[in-house]
Amino acid sequence: DTLLAISIAATAAGAVVARGLYASIALFIIYGLMLAVAWVRLDAIDVALAEAAIGAGLTGILLVGAAARCRAVERRAGAIADG
């Protein structure tokens, strides 16, 4: 349990300080999955299932989609500025 708690804290810190956008999103997804494991260890299976589905799954997909859309908008803005 101690190793899991340390791993969760390290993953959370890594997600915050990661330089790359996609690396940060990947660490956030891993963080959500590790929280789901922690909820399973606490015998809260329903909360673990919700955390895995919403916290890691849905939110991760939304973040990846938003990051891809932001990059596309930045590219279009750069192309318009260039001429």
Side-chain angles (χ1 to χ4, degrees), residues 4-31:
L4 181 61
I6 292 169
S7 299
I8 290 171
T11 306
V16 171
V17 299
R19 290 186 178 253
L21 182 61
Y22 287 105
S24 182
I25 292 170
L27 286 170
F28 179 79
I29 292 169
I30 293 168
Y31 170 76

Side-chain angles (χ1 to χ4, degrees), residues 9 13 25 31 36 38 50 54 63-64 76:
I25 292 170
Y31 170 76
I54 297 169
L63 286 173
V64 169
R76 271 189 257 136

Side-chain angles (χ1 to χ4, degrees), residues 68-78:
R69 187 171 175 95
C70 286
R71 289 231 171 134
V73 169
E74 287 175 359
R75 279 191 220 126
R76 271 189 257 136

Side-chain angles (χ1 to χ4, degrees), residues 25-79:
I25 292 170
L27 286 170
F28 179 79
I29 292 169
I30 293 168
Y31 170 76
L33 292 174
M34 292 176 81
L35 278 179
V37 171
W39 285 116
V40 169
R41 297 277 298 143
L42 293 170
D43 290 327
I45 305 299
D46 52 342
V47 179
L49 204 58
E51 176 64 40
I54 297 169
L58 182 63
T59 305
I61 291 170
L62 290 173
L63 286 173
V64 169
R69 187 171 175 95
C70 286
R71 289 231 171 134
V73 169
E74 287 175 359
R75 279 191 220 126
R76 271 189 257 136

